[in-house]
Amino acid sequence: MELSGLKIVGIGHAVPEKILTNQALEKMVDTSDEWIVTRTGIRERRIAEKENTSVLGFWAAQRAMEDAGIPKERIGAIIVATCTPDDYQPSTACRIHQLLEFANGQPVMAFDINVACTGFPYALTVANGLLATAMPDRCILVIGAETMSKFVDYTDRNTCILFGDGAGAVVVERSMEQEFHSYLSAKGDDTMFRIPGAPFAGEHAPSLISMDGKSVFKFAVESIQTCVGHVLEQAGLEMKDISYIVTHQANRRIITTAAKKMDLPLEKFFMNIEKYGNTSAASIPIALDEMKRQNLSRPGDRLILVGFGSGLTLGAVLLQW
Ligand code: UT7
């Protein structure tokens, strides 16, 4: 069966005002700007002081809807990729639904998906399926929103330098012209990266992020290679057909190592990690919005979006502007 693709008709992002620089982190833990920049490429990140995940997601969604220039009545679903929701319930998507003030009686699905840093490729794939089946004439808001800082241990130099907060959103609609290919996978493993919430029976939950950085690094580099290979093969395309690869922004060295292993020029990879750090599910849509604002891609250009992260999860989509 030939499935249709999707078209991004609007895009936007939102980040908190507060900037946490490497210099500020030097005063908090035994680290240095030089170490952080060399090992990760990060210079600063945004930290939510008042804004929660749903508010950042709402702002990004508003901007994406303004950019799309579509009336609210066309929205048929809100999918939020997040691993740092405001609450277990209501979902972040329902909170955003409330803030968007849809008319009474308008049917709008709203749900979160928790796929950590791979959330955006997963959410786009779910949206593509819904557009092809349940709501071919509607638009879907796909949002990646996170407040990672809630779970960061600011006494742990191994992790506190990495993460930031933010949200990115797209409005997508069904398209018979645009290509869409997706490769998603998971490999259950809680030893490499964990954000504890509900503790296992008999366990005291440490409430903050724990991570085996070296193993995650290796997994990330392998995931980029695997995912890009799979979507290209599925699409019957070659790397020369792709304008940009936009990976989850976790560490500049992860991207440079993957580029080297794939024998690709670094210019093929968009990066903005320097300004935001690792914003988990938000990093890909924030990067996409910045690319658009910098006029880096033209209508019809093919992009591969790649995520990898906790779960473990990995996935990519190949789509066209
Ligand atoms: O979305 C997925 C989330 N996670 C990730 O993306 C993380 C992936 N992993 C990484 O990005 C890297 O593994 C890190 C940036 C976390 C660490 O870089 P690394 O090159 O793997 O460093 P390392 O863990 O091997 O540590 C090297 C040294 C250690 O000191 P010793 O044992 O050699 O004396 C660390 O204690 O660097 C030390 N170190 C630091 N030094 C200064 C670790 N963190 C810091 C720090 N400042 N912030």
Side-chain angles (χ1 to χ4, degrees):
M1 182 183 59
E2 180 83 359
L3 274 188
S4 54
L6 57 72
K7 182 173 166 61
I8 296 175
V9 292
I11 184 160
H13 82 269
V15 289
E17 261 177 47
K18 186 183 170 188
I19 297 175
L20 179 63
T21 61
N22 290 350
Q23 287 73 17
L25 279 165
E26 284 176 352
K27 299 194 178 82
M28 295 160 71
V29 287
D30 180 13
T31 191
S32 67
D33 175 53
E34 199 264 331
W35 192 96
I36 302 171
V37 174
T38 321
R39 299 291 180 118
T40 70
I42 303 167
R43 291 183 188 276
E44 59 186 42
R45 64 293 287 144
R46 299 300 180 105
I47 303 295
E49 289 185 295
K50 300 181 288 288
E51 312 88 345
N52 56 25
T53 301
S54 58
V55 165
L56 291 172
F58 166 62
W59 289 339
Q62 272 188 318
R63 286 169 195 169
M65 284 171 66
E66 263 170 45
D67 185 45
I70 53 141
K72 266 191 250 181
E73 300 79 71
R74 290 225 38 223
I75 301 291
I78 303 169
I79 307 174
V80 179
T82 185
C83 60
T84 54
D86 302 355
D87 290 299
Y88 287 126
Q89 275 300 333
S91 68
T92 315
C94 279
R95 287 199 186 279
I96 294 173
H97 181 289
Q98 185 175 16
L99 293 166
L100 284 169
E101 297 181 332
F102 290 97
N104 253 346
Q106 177 179 340
V108 184
M109 292 170 67
F111 58 96
D112 290 2
I113 62 169
N114 176 355
V115 200
C117 309
T118 320
F120 201 67
Y122 266 67
L124 278 177
T125 306
V126 173
N128 193 54
L130 283 172
L131 290 171
T133 53
M135 50 185 75
D137 303 321
R138 309 286 293 280
C139 290
I140 298 183
L141 259 171
V142 182
I143 303 167
E146 304 278 14
T147 44
M148 298 300 288
S149 60
K150 291 190 292 198
F151 296 96
V152 169
D153 178 353
Y154 284 101
T155 65
D156 175 12
R157 69 176 182 172
N158 292 290
T159 51
C160 73
I161 54 140
L162 294 173
F163 297 97
D165 303 333
V170 292
V171 178
V172 293
E173 68 178 18
R174 188 175 190 232
S175 163
M176 298 310 286
E177 284 83 44
Q178 253 84 2
E179 295 163 19
F180 187 89
H181 299 277
S182 163
Y183 170 81
L184 305 175
S185 190
K187 177 183 164 197
D189 180 328
D190 68 354
T191 62
M192 284 196 210
F193 187 94
R194 187 160 176 229
I195 303 180
F200 288 124
E203 182 186 296
H204 291 291
S207 58
L208 303 169
I209 287 173
S210 58
M211 182 184 76
D212 169 2
K214 274 206 183 313
S215 303
V216 177
F217 190 109
K218 191 165 170 279
F219 168 74
V221 172
E222 286 168 4
S223 297
I224 295 173
Q225 295 170 267
T226 306
C227 291
V228 169
H230 277 290
V231 286
L232 278 178
E233 190 185 330
Q234 204 187 109
L237 294 170
E238 293 173 30
M239 198 50 81
K240 66 172 172 43
D241 304 311
I242 307 300
S243 304
Y244 276 101
I245 300 173
V246 185
T247 75
H248 163 51
Q249 307 285 302
N251 182 329
R252 188 181 166 85
R253 275 197 304 131
I254 289 176
I255 300 172
T256 53
T257 310
K260 206 165 165 196
K261 284 187 182 283
M262 296 163 79
D263 202 17
L264 289 174
L266 207 49
E267 296 71 51
K268 200 89 176 173
F269 294 80
F270 179 80
M271 278 187 264
N272 64 356
I273 187 159
E274 178 170 311
K275 290 192 288 178
Y276 303 118
N278 178 344
T279 57
S280 187
S283 84
I284 294 176
I286 293 175
L288 280 180
D289 191 29
E290 294 211 324
M291 280 179 73
K292 189 178 172 206
R293 276 160 218 287
Q294 292 168 29
N295 287 322
L296 287 179
S297 46
R298 295 174 303 277
D301 277 359
R302 294 189 183 93
L303 305 178
I304 296 180
L305 316 182
V306 191
F308 46 81
S310 183
L312 301 169
T313 54
L314 63 156
V317 297
L318 188 158
L319 48 70
Q320 283 181 286
W321 271 119

